[in-house]
Amino acid sequence: MQTERAMVTRRDLLALIGAVSGSAAMYHAMTSLGFASDSGYKGPIRLEGDPRGASVLILGAGLAGMTAALELRKAGYDVRVLEFNSRAGGRNWTLRGGDSFTELGGFRQTCEFEQGLYINPGPWRIPYHHRALLDYCKRLGVTLEPFIQLNHNAYLHAAGAFAGVPQRIRDIKTDFQGQVSELLAKATQQGRLDEAVSKEDREILMQALRSWGALDGDYAYKANLISGDFRGYARAPGGGLGAEPVPGEPVDLSEILKSRLWRYLQNFALHTFQATMFQPVGGMDMIGKAFAREVGDLIRYGAKVTRIQQDDRGVTVTYTDPDAPATPRQAKADWCVCTIPLSILSQLPIDVGRRMKAAIDAVPYSASVKIGLQFKRRFWEEDEAIYGGISYTDLPVRQIAYPNTGFNGAGKGVLLGAYLFDGPNAYEFTSMSPVERVARAVEFGARIHPQYRTEYDNGIAVAWHRVPFALGCAGRWTDEARAQHYDNLCQIDGRIVLAGEHASYIPAWQEGAILSSLDAITRLHDRVVKQ
Amino acid sequence: MTRENTSFRAGFAVAMSAASLLLSFPAYAQGSGPSVPEPALSAGFRFAENSGEELFANICQGCHMSDGKGATGAGTYPSLAGNSNLEAGGYPVSIVVNGQRGMPPFGAMMSDDQVAAVVNYVRTHFGNRYLDAVTSEDVRAVRR
Ligand SMILES: Cc1cc2nc3c(=O)[nH]c(=O)nc-3n(C[C@H](O)[C@H](O)[C@H](O)COP(=O)(O)OP(=O)(O)OC[C@H]3O[C@@H](n4cnc5c(N)ncnc54)[C@H](O)[C@@H]3O)c2cc1C
């Protein structure tokens, strides 16, 4: 990084333009493929036709399993659910004060958050286009509130840039956009874009760059009240004497480029992260709990599935109870919807064809670690005017996410102090004891918010490979693995069909779990009524 | 992780291109605050640890646990302790490089030397006494 030249050359500029038009072209392609629109949900499922008392055994009471349970019972099936945990929801999970959690290996943590404060160790945000999940929230009475993905006043931070001083997202975003606009305007004026842009469009382009980039009358991006309207001021406009605004100095383009902070701007542009995003009021597990109010009577908790067999007459599932692990029990049904994550299912003996078994074995699970930290006061609001949203950093903690609720309140607050995902650091944090994970999250976070040192209260860390009911965060599909195995994973094999996040093209989203389940039971029901 | 075509429509998409992360910082150990305890952490997409012991303690331990004995919940991380499957060195080499079911592939995140070091460590600790060390050539041979 230090070897880079200090000047932005014309080649850099062209690379930038290329990147810009390239991503626009990609966006267009994605839209026409349907990726960038809604998730494909067609409204509440209608399973018509009489299943004539057919029975279904559902394995796993996560969102995929409970969606299947709810809809299949409604359609007239005799439904039972086997669930390993003593609660419903699976990865849809919230930790609050008093909750305790024992990870694989035996470390036990008890959450010491204050009443009303929580952390979502798994899913935490819902895009507005996840229509199936939103529809279930509506039907099941789950109240939503905004999840703030972009807060202009949160930070972008790189350990090796700006002497380690975090930069406001607003400054980087505005100054990057402004200076790129200025370069483009210059290139246009110098006739460099004549071949690419018609004369008529060039004039409009100049106007657009001025408007979009906060350029002045000479198409320059500078410290003045025009850029100040976008990036804020060194001294903001006030009232009375001495209230005149003073513009701030933009961050130099070359420094922005070399800092790599621009790469985080994607997190505010990607379709999955665009406004409006939501979170359930009170914690993500409000969704799992709402499902469990509907189907909880069908669930047998503490049932660890150890074997899945089938023949032409039905399905036999072997499971154990925590009280009597040595005494296997059996449950039988005509059909089986299995939503056990592949990280676990790949280890169980299961009577399915070679192709489905190969698919079950083909998907390793991502590493991810989330750490919740409670502080004695909401210093990010009080001292730094950061209300919700996310700061991004290249420190191993990667993100610091501020609570999107309880704004401006006195008293303690909980923030997400780390959200690691894949890559070496996620494995390294998984290998630590929970106490060490929390200690390091506090240590790293203090480089962005020095208040950590005095305000830290307590914390809790969840490393997903150590979560006993998941053994990983989510299926890590490659394009090659999808091409070879995805269809084989989703086919009905005799009397067994798989569902869950892993059987979707929306990996690691709850929407994927629900859509996969709706598709699986639609095909299963079709087979049952046609039999 | 080369991020070989991994779908980034995943829920946690960190949105960083591999190229943009190939910064050459030393491992994270610096810090202005109270001293950060060991171990140092890797920067970028490859593991910075070199000795077998460090590699085990920072990667394998996450699933196989510090005593190598694994753990069981709804599924199991197998024990590597006193494990006769490790007798043929090619087997653990291939698993570390290419993965197997719930065990992720680490080939793209480790050099041949690192793979050999961690496999030799596991094959000579936790009650294993396989003294025929694997070499980085053995590792290269199983990379697909
Ligand atoms: C860190 C993280 C961040 C995420 N962020 C988001 C987000 O912001 N937004 C979003 O929408 N999604 C997010 N997700 C993804 C979301 O959590 C999942 O896609 C979804 O919850 C999966 O539902 P599922 O029903 O497929 O699986 P699960 O919820 O895992 O359900 C499977 C069930 O099977 C049970 N089970 C496992 N083994 C056995 C066994 N042997 N016997 C019996 N039962 C068993 C489990 O206990 C569990 O209840 C995130 C996930 C993680 C881990």
Side-chain angles (χ1 to χ4, degrees):
Chain A
M1 192 175 127
Q2 284 81 355
T3 61
E4 266 171 317
R5 284 154 302 155
M7 284 290 298
V8 182
T9 64
R10 184 161 162 278
R11 195 188 295 136
D12 293 332
L13 164 65
L14 292 175
L16 273 174
I17 298 170
V20 168
S21 62
S23 59
M26 188 172 106
Y27 178 80
H28 183 74
M30 281 167 66
T31 318
S32 54
L33 287 172
F35 284 123
S37 60
D38 291 350
S39 63
Y41 180 62
K42 305 203 175 58
I45 188 173
R46 278 193 299 275
L47 300 175
E48 275 149 16
D50 184 1
R52 297 180 302 272
S55 57
V56 183
L57 203 48
I58 296 170
L59 310 182
L63 296 195
M66 290 195 287
T67 300
L70 180 87
E71 301 296 354
L72 289 174
R73 169 155 73 181
K74 205 188 282 174
Y77 288 82
D78 171 13
V79 176
R80 271 171 307 156
V81 185
L82 298 178
E83 166 55 47
F84 169 76
N85 279 332
S86 54
R87 63 164 180 91
R91 277 169 273 180
N92 173 284
W93 181 31
T94 299
L95 287 167
R96 302 179 179 81
D99 290 343
S100 54
F101 163 59
T102 305
E103 66 179 42
L104 289 173
F107 289 115
R108 181 184 169 87
Q109 300 174 79
T110 299
C111 183
E112 291 168 26
F113 296 164
E114 279 212 337
Q115 174 81 31
L117 302 181
Y118 67 85
I119 189 86
N120 292 319
W124 57 323
R125 56 191 161 190
I126 304 173
Y128 70 88
H129 44 87
H130 284 183
R131 309 295 300 178
L133 180 59
L134 289 174
D135 195 28
Y136 279 100
C137 286
K138 185 187 271 180
R139 282 152 66 190
L140 301 177
V142 178
T143 316
L144 301 177
E145 64 193 356
F147 175 98
I148 297 166
Q149 173 71 26
L150 167 58
N151 174 350
H152 285 84
N153 213 37
Y155 295 122
L156 301 178
H157 172 261
F162 302 107
V165 177
Q167 305 294 302
R168 300 284 184 177
I169 292 174
R170 181 187 58 248
D171 292 346
I172 297 300
K173 187 175 180 299
T174 314
D175 294 347
F176 185 56
Q177 195 168 307
Q179 290 171 87
V180 168
S181 298
E182 178 182 315
L183 284 173
L184 264 176
K186 269 191 196 130
T188 308
Q189 282 175 324
Q190 291 165 3
R192 308 284 178 92
L193 299 183
D194 286 4
E195 273 175 36
V197 187
S198 75
K199 185 169 185 309
E200 186 194 357
D201 285 357
R202 282 202 297 276
E203 272 164 35
I204 307 173
L205 178 63
M206 293 297 284
Q207 289 168 23
L209 291 171
R210 208 173 140 187
S211 146
W212 188 67
L215 307 185
D216 66 15
D218 299 325
Y219 297 95
Y221 183 79
K222 294 193 176 128
N224 55 31
L225 295 181
I226 301 169
S227 64
D229 280 345
F230 288 67
R231 70 189 311 286
Y233 308 84
R235 190 181 69 204
L241 278 176
E244 188 188 350
V246 176
E249 197 57 46
V251 185
D252 188 58
L253 178 61
S254 171
E255 284 200 48
I256 296 176
L257 290 175
K258 290 206 288 297
S259 74
R260 289 343 188 250
L261 291 184
W262 44 263
R263 69 187 182 206
Y264 299 109
L265 298 175
Q266 271 201 41
N267 292 314
F268 316 121
L270 292 170
H271 179 242
T272 29
F273 296 136
Q274 286 170 11
T276 304
M277 301 197 82
F278 302 102
Q279 62 183 25
V281 173
M284 190 55 88
D285 71 349
M286 292 299 168
I287 301 178
K289 287 180 168 157
F291 268 102
R293 277 197 295 276
E294 300 287 321
V295 299
D297 58 316
L298 303 176
I299 303 173
R300 179 175 183 126
Y301 294 102
K304 171 175 158 176
V305 171
T306 56
R307 174 159 199 190
I308 303 166
Q309 291 164 282
Q310 64 169 328
D311 58 29
D312 23 321
R313 291 187 318 274
V315 182
T316 304
V317 173
T318 307
Y319 65 96
T320 57
D321 269 357
D323 321 328
T327 322
R329 296 162 198 266
Q330 291 197 324
K332 291 177 190 288
D334 300 323
W335 305 94
C336 175
V337 177
C338 175
T339 73
I340 296 174
L342 300 181
S343 45
I344 295 164
L345 188 61
S346 61
Q347 302 180 345
L348 305 184
I350 176 170
D351 291 348
V352 292
R354 192 174 44 80
R355 290 216 183 89
M356 183 185 267
K357 178 57 182 154
I360 291 171
D361 290 350
V363 189
Y365 273 46
S366 292
S368 182
V369 179
K370 270 182 157 184
I371 301 176
L373 303 175
Q374 177 168 283
F375 292 92
K376 294 172 207 149
R377 63 185 185 95
R378 297 168 74 106
F379 60 80
W380 51 93
E381 297 182 350
E382 292 170 1
D383 304 352
E384 292 161 280
I386 298 174
Y387 298 91
I390 306 172
S391 290
Y392 288 89
T393 171
D394 65 357
L395 293 174
V397 294
R398 294 292 189 276
Q399 304 185 26
I400 295 177
Y402 312 94
N404 298 306
T405 170
F407 294 125
N408 224 13
K412 299 188 176 184
V414 166
L415 50 70
L416 178 72
Y419 185 8
L420 293 86
F421 155 71
D422 266 351
N425 296 156
Y427 288 99
E428 290 162 340
F429 266 75
T430 303
S431 296
M432 297 172 191
S433 69
V435 170
E436 194 184 350
R437 287 177 208 140
V438 169
R440 302 207 75 179
V442 171
E443 189 49 49
F444 283 119
R447 290 165 66 176
I448 295 171
H449 296 288
Q451 302 96 318
Y452 267 44
R453 298 206 178 87
T454 50
E455 307 300 342
Y456 170 69
D457 200 4
N458 62 68
I460 190 162
V462 174
W464 278 89
H465 272 134
R466 293 244 177 126
V467 170
F469 62 87
L471 270 66
C473 165
R476 195 166 165 274
W477 282 99
T478 58
D479 289 348
E480 297 77 41
R482 271 205 200 276
Q484 208 182 334
H485 297 293
Y486 181 79
D487 288 357
N488 297 334
L489 187 78
C490 296
Q491 299 295 353
I492 299 174
D493 184 305
R495 296 173 166 276
I496 298 172
V497 66
L498 309 187
E501 163 273 322
H502 47 276
S504 81
Y505 270 86
I506 322 177
W509 288 99
Q510 298 168 105
E511 181 79 356
I514 292 180
L515 288 180
S516 126
S517 182
L518 292 175
D519 174 64
I521 63 174
T522 302
R523 286 183 286 123
L524 190 70
H525 178 71
D526 200 48
R527 187 166 290 198
V528 171
V529 294
K530 284 194 180 132
Q531 221 182 23
Chain B
M1 181 179 81
T2 52
R3 281 212 32 227
E4 61 298 285
N5 302 325
T6 305
S7 166
F8 253 50
R9 282 186 286 280
F12 28 66
V14 222
M16 291 180 189
S17 70
S20 69
L21 266 180
L22 291 176
L23 307 180
S24 48
F25 293 128
Y28 291 99
Q30 75 275 45
S32 44
S35 70
V36 177
E38 282 300 307
L41 298 168
S42 307
F45 273 116
R46 295 172 72 84
F47 287 104
E49 296 83 358
N50 283 313
S51 72
E53 185 180 3
E54 281 176 313
L55 286 159
F56 183 88
N58 290 296
I59 308 162
C60 322
Q61 177 173 309
C63 298
H64 295 287
M65 304 302 153
S66 55
D67 58 3
K69 289 198 176 136
T72 295
T76 293
Y77 292 125
S79 172
L80 304 178
N83 185 333
S84 57
N85 292 342
L86 303 181
E87 186 171 352
Y91 173 69
V93 166
S94 149
I95 289 194
V96 171
V97 170
N98 298 314
Q100 177 168 291
R101 294 191 277 269
M103 161 121 181
F106 290 109
M109 300 161 82
M110 284 188 204
S111 68
D112 296 344
D113 287 347
Q114 286 172 307
V115 174
V118 74
V119 165
N120 286 330
Y121 178 80
V122 171
R123 291 179 77 238
T124 53
H125 289 78
F126 312 116
N128 300 309
R129 307 246 181 294
Y130 304 108
L131 300 176
D132 54 327
V134 302
T135 63
S136 43
E137 283 70 48
D138 298 333
V139 178
R140 197 168 316 136
V142 310
R143 286 192 186 272
R144 312 190 193 111

